[in-house]
Amino acid sequence: MRFAAIGLDHRHIYHMVGGLLEAGATCVGFDPATGDERVLSGFRERFPDLPESTAERLIDDPAIDLIVCAAIPAERATIAIRAMRAGKDVMVDKPGVTDFDQLAAVEQVVAETGRIFSICFSERFTVPATIIAGKLIADGTIGRVVQTLGMGPHRLNRAIRPGWFFDKRNYGGILTDIASHQIDQFLHFTGSHDAQVVASGVGHFGVPDLPGFEDFGEVLLRSDRASGYIRVDWFTADGLPTWGDGRLTILGTEGTIELRKYVDIASRSGTDHVFLVDKAGTRHIDAAGEPLTYFRNLVADIANRSETAMSQRHAFTVCRLALEAQAKAAWLPARSRVT
């Protein structure tokens, strides 16, 4: 499988390209156009042998099967549509889209072309702990899953953020952007095909000179099988040794699973800590060595026209729920919004 990278605006492009290479795919080139020269510099350091080209040449090349894209979020749908109309499958960074018009357009092109539009939800697909959690649930270890509690805190790192990062027209809002990860995990781990946004809210509590930047968000979801609460923010303190203490707690009728994905604060070193409580007791599972599956499954899906990495319905449902949560979000605290 041959692929190319277009849209080097977010550092997630590193693991998107790296994951495909590890899965046996061949990267035949990348477009160096970027809104953040630091991302481009980091890409060249990690992949020094990849040739540079232009988006037009890469999209028009009939020998390329897949386009991977981590462009400015609001630009991803346009690039994906161009690529799919040129006969290519697409993997984009989250969020796949930033408004309802983009979602409708992507859905239409997928229906017309039969191409794959996959979203790399890195907080599930590049985290071995989530693979272990899925296996425990499938084995019935915690019984029926009835609720998820997903937290996605991030460090702002303002000094290294490009200007587009703080403009909602570019990122779509904190729920459209970050919370798409937790919505993906809610649907996946509860086995839900759809859900209702019961309530949502966003707010700005941080740096005073960016009053319109959403740095906090929350969502309450409910499906016909389970409920879920999501909290996302940009308040990770500098003292944490990683970019955010991402957590997921999965409540079952016979036990619970907690994932400390990136750090176990003041305790065990490393990442991918799984804590299990069931009828047999409590235990810690080191999941760091568990093989990832998304990238090799996507490579197989492209060859076989299958949906083992992620169903197309799931990708679109996550997008729609994130947009709905963003659209109905109350401004927190309850006061006149500053824009």
Side-chain angles (χ1 to χ4, degrees):
M1 195 277 285
R2 294 161 59 88
F3 73 98
I6 298 174
L8 274 61
D9 292 292
H10 197 293
R11 287 169 175 80
H12 285 172
I13 195 67
Y14 304 155
H15 63 239
M16 294 167 72
V17 170
L20 287 170
L21 292 173
E22 290 178 6
T26 300
C27 186
V28 299
F30 70 97
D31 179 3
T34 181
D36 189 341
E37 290 295 326
R38 287 165 294 198
V39 176
L40 176 60
S41 176
F43 189 89
R44 286 172 170 156
E45 290 176 5
R46 287 166 174 79
F47 310 106
D49 299 326
L50 297 184
E52 299 185 13
S53 185
T54 65
E56 290 73 18
R57 289 176 180 173
L58 296 171
I59 288 176
D60 291 340
D61 186 344
I64 293 175
D65 304 295
L66 174 74
I67 295 295
V68 299
C69 177
I72 293 171
E75 299 175 1
R76 293 171 189 170
T78 298
I79 294 171
I81 287 171
R82 287 173 56 200
M84 288 188 289
R85 290 202 182 282
K88 292 165 176 54
D89 296 315
V90 175
M91 176 176 69
V92 298
D93 185 22
K94 66 79 208 166
V97 299
T98 56
D99 62 45
F100 287 106
D101 288 341
Q102 291 178 9
L103 177 58
V106 171
E107 288 179 314
Q108 179 179 345
V109 172
V110 167
E112 291 174 353
T113 65
R115 308 317 304 180
I116 295 171
F117 177 79
S118 189
I119 304 171
C120 184
F121 292 113
S122 56
E123 291 191 23
R124 177 160 68 95
F125 293 143
T126 69
V127 176
T130 64
I131 309 297
I132 293 293
K135 290 181 177 180
L136 291 170
I137 292 169
D139 289 342
T141 304
I142 63 169
R144 175 187 170 188
V145 175
V146 297
Q147 199 246 13
T148 65
L149 172 60
M151 297 185 183
H154 288 63
R155 179 177 289 120
L156 184 59
N157 283 331
R158 183 176 180 180
I160 67 169
R161 302 293 184 181
W164 64 261
F165 178 86
F166 299 99
D167 188 338
K168 186 176 177 179
R169 293 171 297 181
N170 288 318
Y171 70 90
I174 193 170
L175 300 182
T176 297
D177 184 18
I178 301 179
S180 61
H181 282 303
Q182 284 69 37
I183 294 171
D184 161 68
Q185 292 167 73
F186 167 79
L187 294 175
H188 176 73
F189 288 115
T190 65
S192 300
H193 295 299
D194 206 342
Q196 173 190 2
V197 178
V198 178
S200 59
V202 299
H204 174 81
F205 299 92
V207 288
D209 60 325
L210 295 171
F213 177 64
E214 296 174 357
D215 53 23
F216 177 88
E218 60 182 358
V219 184
L220 178 62
L221 295 173
R222 185 174 298 139
S223 74
D224 59 350
R225 302 174 59 88
S227 63
Y229 175 76
I230 294 165
R231 191 205 79 204
V232 292
D233 65 77
W234 287 103
F235 296 128
T236 292
D238 290 343
L240 194 75
T242 187
W243 56 267
D245 183 12
R247 305 189 199 182
L248 175 66
T249 300
I250 305 169
L251 173 65
T253 55
E254 299 178 25
T256 59
I257 300 170
E258 182 181 358
L259 286 77
R260 300 294 293 264
K261 299 179 180 180
Y262 311 113
V263 64
D264 180 14
I265 59 173
S267 185
R268 301 170 181 85
S269 62
T271 62
D272 293 285
H273 301 277
V274 178
F275 299 94
L276 172 65
V277 181
D278 63 9
K279 56 188 176 183
T282 65
R283 59 188 167 116
H284 167 264
I285 303 170
D286 181 355
E290 184 69 15
L292 300 175
T293 61
Y294 169 73
F295 296 102
R296 58 181 170 85
N297 286 346
L298 181 60
V299 171
D301 288 341
I302 291 170
N304 302 327
R305 311 317 297 168
S306 53
E307 295 188 340
T308 61
M310 179 196 333
S311 75
Q312 193 62 78
R313 174 181 178 178
H314 177 90
F316 288 149
T317 300
V318 174
C319 290
R320 176 176 54 79
L321 289 173
L323 293 172
E324 289 177 358
Q326 186 72 50
K328 71 184 299 182
W331 182 251
L332 306 171
R335 58 176 172 77
S336 298
R337 183 169 187 167
V338 179
T339 58

